[in-house]
Amino acid sequence: MRNRIAAAAAFVLLLGVTACAGPSAAPGSTTDGTTTDGSRSADAGWLARGNCRAVAPGPSDTEAEGPVLTVHRAGGDSISVTMAQLDALPQVECTVDDRQAEGRTATFRGALLADVLRSVRTPPGDPQPGEVLHTAAVNDYSVDLPVSDIVDYPVLLATRLDGGPMTVAHYGPLRVVYPTTGFDLDPTVYDP
């Protein structure tokens, strides 16, 4: 199953969005636990349910200066995203049972995938539940993710594993991480 893990040197996300701009950090929190742009990265109860928590953003410690993510929209244009831009988004840490790739419990850090999608839309807007996100890694691994999953669960676009960057040889530099606790996810569908 290791070769089926969705990670490699870069991801390509294919979206049905109307326009794209560079990622921007989400503004402050509201009283209901979301940020003013709709992000749930400040919703402590929802995050804790998935064994996740919001963390303070840290400096980007990666040496990679170029894009690590390319987002293609349905109209044909694309946007490139750097690690520094991903690190500028609200950050979340999730501790998950990662027997598939790590063979142990691991702590991943990054931005919620919903926040990443929200950050590249102009005009700003929430991901729509009927959409499907097609992800493809440079090693030709690809998987379609229901956007409803990205909205309903704290799905992370991880940039760090146990505090450090992930190498290409170790399923990096990005990895899509679903919560392994707190939500009723069918292991036959979500483990692979």
Side-chain angles (χ1 to χ4, degrees):
M1 285 288 175
R2 283 183 174 220
N3 63 345
R4 296 198 54 178
I5 301 298
F11 276 98
V12 176
L13 303 178
L14 303 173
L15 304 173
V17 296
T18 57
C20 294
S24 58
S29 297
T30 63
T31 57
D32 69 355
T34 61
T35 58
T36 55
D37 72 349
S39 168
R40 292 188 76 185
S41 59
D43 186 343
W46 180 72
L47 289 174
R49 189 171 157 206
N51 208 19
C52 302
R53 65 186 181 95
V55 293
S60 183
D61 59 359
T62 183
E63 295 179 19
E65 295 179 16
V68 293
L69 174 72
T70 302
V71 180
H72 294 278
R73 64 178 224 152
D77 45 343
S78 62
I79 182 171
S80 296
V81 181
T82 66
M83 189 68 75
Q85 290 171 309
L86 291 173
D87 289 342
L89 293 170
Q91 298 292 292
V92 172
E93 273 187 0
C94 296
T95 301
V96 299
D97 178 355
D98 190 19
R99 284 176 278 186
Q100 293 287 333
E102 299 300 320
R104 61 181 173 81
T105 298
T107 301
F108 291 93
R109 178 188 178 122
L112 293 175
L113 193 47
D115 289 347
V116 174
L117 296 180
R118 191 176 293 107
S119 75
V120 297
R121 291 176 183 250
T122 302
D126 289 334
Q128 298 302 306
E131 294 177 309
V132 173
L133 179 69
H134 178 74
T135 65
V138 295
N139 67 355
D140 293 327
Y141 177 84
S142 66
V143 67
D144 291 335
L145 305 174
V147 172
S148 58
D149 281 4
I150 296 164
V151 171
D152 294 342
Y153 309 122
V155 178
L156 197 64
L157 183 60
T159 59
R160 307 290 186 285
L161 168 63
D162 294 330
M166 295 176 286
T167 64
V168 172
H170 200 79
Y171 311 111
L174 304 174
R175 195 179 313 177
V176 174
V177 177
Y178 271 76
T180 56
T181 61
F183 296 93
D184 191 22
L185 299 176
D186 180 354
T188 62
V189 173
Y190 290 96
D191 282 358

